[in-house]
């Protein structure tokens, strides 16, 4: 995609290819390489003087800073660039709206974040965009969690996990590990959840988050002042059990207690 992006694709496709590559590099902890790709995004925009791409570029770079707990960027985004917080969202502004939801959560405006996330769920569902719907449900869950609405937080996390289970996409949960861990913990303990339906995805997300923190990188949180999860260390036996569960093992397949 990178090689093709300068030869055969439109500038919008060049931009999209670089955005995808940057996200892959961030997921691989190759931050310096990702920053190089992001700077190339800016060059593409300046070369073609594309204001639509500039808005999405600004949304992307702001989102990355907000995810690292940059409250100043969140406030700047809301005061200068957020559009239509209290209006029906437009499809072509979806990416910008997701940045706005994150900025609202980061500035602890949970009520507005929940309202916009709900509208984004409906928009994504009407356009048949399940991954957008999953992202909106996860952000909706996070906002409810910080708003002390634990039951609603678990309900919307379940909705996000159901989509994640279908499409095997968990990176977005890892990007918000510090925000979703307490909701997942409560979710896993809930007696109202059908374990046959949800346990594989729940353990998959937990395993990915745990391996993420084990590599020495601190979990991210949109509201670090409200919650900062401790690092969790697993013994080899616990890691082995989790790996078996990840492979859909039954309880009878697990090693007996010590």
């Amino acid at each position: 995609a990178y090689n093709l992006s300068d030869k055969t694709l439109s500038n919008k496709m060049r931009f999209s290819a670089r955005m995808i590559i940057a996200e892959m590099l961030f997921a691989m902890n190759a931050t310096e390489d990702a920053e190089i790709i992001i700077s190339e995004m800016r060059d593409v925009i300046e070369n073609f003087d594309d204001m639509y791409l500039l808005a999405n570029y600004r949304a992307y770079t702001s989102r990355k800073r907000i995810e690292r707990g940059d409250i100043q960027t969140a406030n700047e985004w809301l005061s200068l660039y957020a559009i239509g917080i209290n209006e029906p969202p437009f499809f072509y502004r979806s990416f910008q709206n997701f940045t706005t939801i994150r900025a609202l959560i980061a500035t602890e405006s949970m009520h507005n974040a929940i309202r916009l996330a709900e509208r984004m769920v409906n928009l994504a569902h009407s356009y048949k965009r399940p991954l957008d719907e999953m992202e909106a449900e996860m952000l909706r869950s996070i906002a409810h969690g910080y708003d002390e609405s634990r039951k609603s937080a678990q309900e919307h996390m379940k909705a996000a996990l159901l989509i994640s289970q279908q499409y095997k996409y968990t990176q977005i949960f890892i990007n918000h590990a510090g925000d979703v861990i307490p909701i997942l913990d409560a979710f896993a303990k809930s007696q109202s959840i059908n374990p046959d339906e949800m346990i594989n995805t729940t353990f998959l997300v937990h395993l990915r988050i745990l391996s993420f923190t084990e590599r020495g990188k601190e979990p991210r949180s949109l509201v670090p002042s409200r919650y900062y999860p401790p690092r969790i260390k697993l013994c080899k036996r616990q890691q082995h059990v989790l790996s078996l569960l990840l492979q859909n093992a039954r309880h009878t397949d697990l090693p007996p207690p010590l």
Side-chain angles (χ1 to χ4, degrees), residues 30-95:
T31 305
E32 292 183 4
D33 292 334
E35 294 293 348
I36 292 172
I37 298 297
I38 290 174
S39 68
E40 291 179 359
M41 286 186 198
R42 181 71 189 215
D43 292 340
V44 169
I45 294 168
E46 291 179 347
N47 288 339
F48 291 92
D49 193 25
D50 193 318
M51 296 305 295
Y52 171 77
L53 289 184
L54 178 60
N56 282 317
Y57 170 83
R58 188 182 291 122
Y60 179 76
T61 53
S62 296
R63 191 197 86 186
K64 300 307 289 186
R65 291 194 292 270
I66 292 168
E67 287 178 346
R68 293 193 290 266
D70 189 334
I71 305 301
Q72 181 178 345
T73 296
N75 283 312
E76 179 182 294
W77 175 264
L78 292 174
S79 62
L80 298 178
Y81 307 117
I83 299 173
I85 293 176
N86 297 310
E87 301 171 5
F90 292 100
F91 174 72
Y92 71 93
R93 289 178 180 158
S94 293
F95 195 82

Side-chain angles (χ1 to χ4, degrees), residues 67 102 138 142 172-180 220 222:
E67 287 178 346
R102 287 172 169 85
M138 184 201 71
I142 290 170
I172 194 167
F173 297 94
I174 298 169
N175 290 347
H176 294 279
D179 303 303
V180 303
R220 298 174 182 174
L222 291 171

Side-chain angles (χ1 to χ4, degrees), residues 75-128:
N75 283 312
E76 179 182 294
W77 175 264
L78 292 174
S79 62
L80 298 178
Y81 307 117
I83 299 173
I85 293 176
N86 297 310
E87 301 171 5
F90 292 100
F91 174 72
Y92 71 93
R93 289 178 180 158
S94 293
F95 195 82
Q96 298 166 52
N97 286 330
F98 280 126
T99 297
T100 298
I101 297 171
R102 287 172 169 85
L104 289 168
I105 294 173
T107 56
E108 303 194 37
S109 182
M110 302 306 170
H111 179 67
N112 285 331
I114 290 166
R115 290 176 59 194
L116 182 54
E118 181 180 359
R119 291 195 290 270
M120 288 303 297
V121 168
N122 295 333
L123 181 71
H125 187 75
S126 66
Y127 277 93
K128 295 180 169 52

Side-chain angles (χ1 to χ4, degrees), residues 48-245:
F48 291 92
D49 193 25
D50 193 318
M51 296 305 295
Y52 171 77
L53 289 184
L54 178 60
N56 282 317
Y57 170 83
R58 188 182 291 122
Y60 179 76
T61 53
S62 296
R63 191 197 86 186
K64 300 307 289 186
R65 291 194 292 270
I66 292 168
E67 287 178 346
R68 293 193 290 266
D70 189 334
I71 305 301
Q72 181 178 345
T73 296
N75 283 312
E76 179 182 294
W77 175 264
L78 292 174
S79 62
L80 298 178
Y81 307 117
I83 299 173
I85 293 176
N86 297 310
E87 301 171 5
F90 292 100
F91 174 72
Y92 71 93
R93 289 178 180 158
S94 293
F95 195 82
Q96 298 166 52
N97 286 330
F98 280 126
T99 297
T100 298
I101 297 171
R102 287 172 169 85
L104 289 168
I105 294 173
T107 56
E108 303 194 37
S109 182
M110 302 306 170
H111 179 67
N112 285 331
I114 290 166
R115 290 176 59 194
L116 182 54
E118 181 180 359
R119 291 195 290 270
M120 288 303 297
V121 168
N122 295 333
L123 181 71
H125 187 75
S126 66
Y127 277 93
K128 295 180 169 52
R129 293 176 64 86
L131 297 186
D132 283 355
E133 188 174 351
M134 177 186 68
E135 182 173 359
E137 289 284 19
M138 184 201 71
L139 292 172
R140 195 177 178 185
S141 171
I142 290 170
H144 274 296
Y146 284 123
D147 200 39
E148 304 298 332
S149 304
R150 293 180 177 85
K151 183 177 180 180
S152 295
Q154 291 181 43
E155 289 176 353
H156 295 299
M157 185 61 68
K158 177 180 178 180
L161 288 172
L162 280 169
I163 300 172
S164 172
Q165 181 171 260
Q166 181 178 355
Y167 293 94
K168 313 299 183 188
Y169 183 62
T170 60
Q171 184 62 43
I172 194 167
F173 297 94
I174 298 169
N175 290 347
H176 294 279
D179 303 303
V180 303
I181 284 175
I183 303 172
L184 288 173
D185 286 344
F187 176 81
K189 296 175 183 177
S190 174
Q191 297 300 313
S192 63
I193 303 303
N194 180 352
D196 293 330
E197 180 183 20
M198 299 304 303
I199 195 168
N200 291 334
T201 300
T202 302
F203 273 101
L204 174 60
V205 173
H206 265 297
L207 184 62
R208 294 287 298 278
I209 289 173
L210 291 173
S211 64
F212 177 78
T213 58
E214 284 288 304
R215 291 199 299 269
K217 188 172 182 180
E218 298 291 353
R220 298 174 182 174
S221 175
L222 291 171
V223 194
S225 63
R226 294 276 295 275
Y227 176 78
Y228 200 76
R231 254 181 224 188
I232 301 174
K233 297 291 184 181
L234 296 181
C235 68
K236 291 183 178 179
R237 178 181 173 81
Q238 290 171 321
Q239 293 175 9
H240 176 59
V241 170
L242 282 176
S243 68
L244 291 175
L245 290 169

